[in-house]
Amino acid sequence: MNPLIRLAVAAAFVLSAQPIAAQSFDDVAESAKEAGFNGVALVGHGRTIDNVMAIGVADAARGVPLTIRSRFEIGSVSKWIASVVVLKLVDQRKLDLDAPIGTYLPDYRADTGRQLTLRRLLSHSSGLPNQVLKARQADPSIRAVELNQAEAVRRYASGDLAFVPGTQWDYSHSNWILTKAIVERVSGKRYDALVDQLIVRPLRLKDSGIYSGDSGGTPGIALGYAALLPAPQPKPNPMPGFMAMAGGFYTSAPDLLAIMDAVLDGRLLSPRSRKELMTVHMPDQHYALGGRVRTAMVGGQMRELAWEDGRNGGFRMVARRVLADGHTVITLNNASYDYQKLGDLAGALLETSYSPEAK
């Protein structure tokens, strides 16, 4: 067996959800290594990387190991990135979170266009049914079918509202198909170009951007797997371009740290937009705009955190950032790692950043 694969897969492990006193980063990393974590994990504060590890394989068939700059799909955390792009356009006074979306898409169905706002779309409180998910479940062959944005809106984001906007919460990918149409109409640019202009270039990111279709063609990206034993089982899940806001962003752990720092310390967004991004609209879901904000026991205190989780195909990721002091953990996995174990790993690693004995 390829030694890289042997390193990447072993017996499952569970880390306690409670803080583990005086456990060092190296201790946690060794436990993860022995137990089969295949991915990259980073701990930092502010813009500074304190510790980072890369364990396992990026491409099992070719024996390519992961590195700390390996690129990963980040699944639904793409929605948080999309919300940042929307708020950048709000800062430029090109968009208003509370304007009826018919203002921006006059050809959209008038009844729904009068009721919906970007705030409702970005917080999953719009009532717009998840037509795209239903269609993909009914016919998996359409997962890789590309459509122009207008046609995608017509097919998958024009259904009758399931509830009055703002009264309930429903996780609907169709929200992001409609939001992408609005952003591209107002800016006059493709979404991938906007991400590059508003996020990638200003932050001088090296490993981030938008992909469409199968991400495997992206240079430097890890491949997604359902499992690595007894033989590698690839698990791609193509992301058509019209769904780029819902799940089409890729990045590395160092780049994601840079993004979270720039957004959450206020350098990338205005103070008002940063506040909008982190204001919870659906308390029972802890959901703000494109992501969650939660309070948890970290380092012996209750702390407020940006709470990001994403998945697509074989990719899983967890990112947490303490809002008050910038302590951050990022875990990226490309072999369908159990979410509970990934969250436990992230929690244990974040604890190390508060333990003087664990430095």
Side-chain angles (χ1 to χ4, degrees):
M1 182 188 302
N2 187 314
L4 290 169
I5 299 177
R6 185 180 296 111
L7 175 67
V9 288
F13 81 114
V14 178
L15 290 168
S16 170
Q18 300 299 317
I20 302 173
Q23 192 175 33
S24 72
F25 180 91
D26 288 343
D27 290 338
V28 178
E30 185 61 29
S31 296
K33 177 179 176 180
E34 291 174 357
F37 173 74
N38 194 91
V40 175
L42 176 152
V43 174
H45 67 281
R47 310 179 203 183
T48 302
I49 297 173
D50 295 321
N51 288 290
V52 63
M53 66 177 181
I55 297 175
V57 292
D59 183 335
R62 294 177 175 82
V64 178
L66 289 166
T67 73
I68 63 174
R69 298 219 71 99
S70 290
R71 301 170 176 185
F72 291 76
E73 295 182 22
I74 61 169
S76 287
V77 183
S78 301
K79 298 174 176 68
W80 190 75
I81 298 294
S83 297
V84 172
V85 171
V86 169
L87 288 166
K88 286 290 292 182
L89 295 176
V90 169
D91 284 342
Q92 295 173 7
R93 300 188 178 182
K94 294 179 180 178
L95 290 174
D96 184 327
L97 290 178
D98 298 309
I101 65 165
T103 304
Y104 308 117
L105 293 179
D107 48 347
Y108 187 64
R109 56 180 291 180
D111 56 342
T112 306
R114 286 192 297 269
Q115 297 181 69
L116 292 184
T117 65
L118 283 165
R119 188 183 301 279
R120 295 301 168 210
L121 295 174
L122 302 186
S123 62
H124 288 289
S125 60
S126 68
L128 197 65
N130 200 348
Q131 291 176 292
V132 66
L133 179 62
K134 291 180 180 178
R136 286 158 69 95
Q137 290 174 336
D139 182 4
S141 69
I142 70 171
R143 290 173 180 266
V145 175
E146 287 287 358
L147 300 171
N148 66 50
Q149 206 65 31
E151 179 60 17
V153 167
R154 187 188 71 78
R155 291 192 193 185
Y156 303 131
S158 298
D160 295 337
L161 298 182
F163 52 82
V164 175
T167 63
Q168 298 182 47
W169 189 85
D170 181 48
Y171 197 79
S172 174
H173 293 86
S174 297
N175 289 322
W176 304 92
I177 294 173
L178 188 52
T179 299
K180 184 171 181 283
I182 293 167
V183 164
E184 292 184 333
R185 176 75 66 88
V186 168
S187 68
K189 296 182 178 180
R190 287 167 43 118
Y191 178 61
D192 56 349
L194 275 175
V195 169
D196 187 63
Q197 175 191 334
L198 299 177
I199 298 177
V200 173
R201 280 188 281 152
L203 299 183
R204 299 181 180 179
L205 303 179
K206 299 178 181 179
D207 306 303
S208 302
I210 298 296
Y211 74 93
S212 62
D214 185 347
S215 69
T218 303
I221 202 159
L223 303 183
Y225 296 93
L228 289 167
L229 281 180
Q233 301 173 38
K235 190 179 181 181
N237 186 26
M239 187 66 57
F242 65 83
M243 287 186 65
M245 280 190 168
F249 192 76
Y250 68 85
T251 192
S252 65
D255 270 15
L256 186 54
L257 177 68
I259 295 169
M260 295 184 79
D261 182 67
V263 171
L264 297 175
D265 82 347
R267 287 183 291 119
L268 195 64
L269 295 174
S270 69
R272 179 177 178 180
S273 283
R274 178 190 178 280
K275 182 178 179 181
E276 293 281 18
L277 180 69
M278 305 308 292
T279 297
V280 171
H281 294 282
M282 295 288 131
D284 59 328
Q285 296 292 331
H286 309 282
Y287 209 85
L289 298 183
R292 288 181 166 85
V293 178
R294 301 190 66 156
T295 300
M297 181 67 70
V298 180
Q301 297 181 25
M302 293 301 292
R303 305 178 194 265
E304 191 176 39
L305 299 95
W307 193 275
E308 306 296 343
D309 302 87
R311 66 187 298 170
N312 187 53
F315 293 92
R316 307 283 186 273
M317 69 85 62
V318 169
R320 309 280 186 257
R321 185 179 180 92
V322 178
L323 298 181
D325 60 20
H327 282 234
T328 304
V329 62
I330 294 165
T331 56
L332 304 169
N333 174 268
N334 63 318
S336 301
Y337 205 64
D338 180 81
Y339 248 142
Q340 181 63 55
K341 295 172 187 174
L342 192 61
D344 290 344
L345 172 59
L349 288 172
L350 189 57
E351 285 294 325
T352 70
S353 70
Y354 286 96
S355 174
E357 297 87 354
K359 299 297 184 183

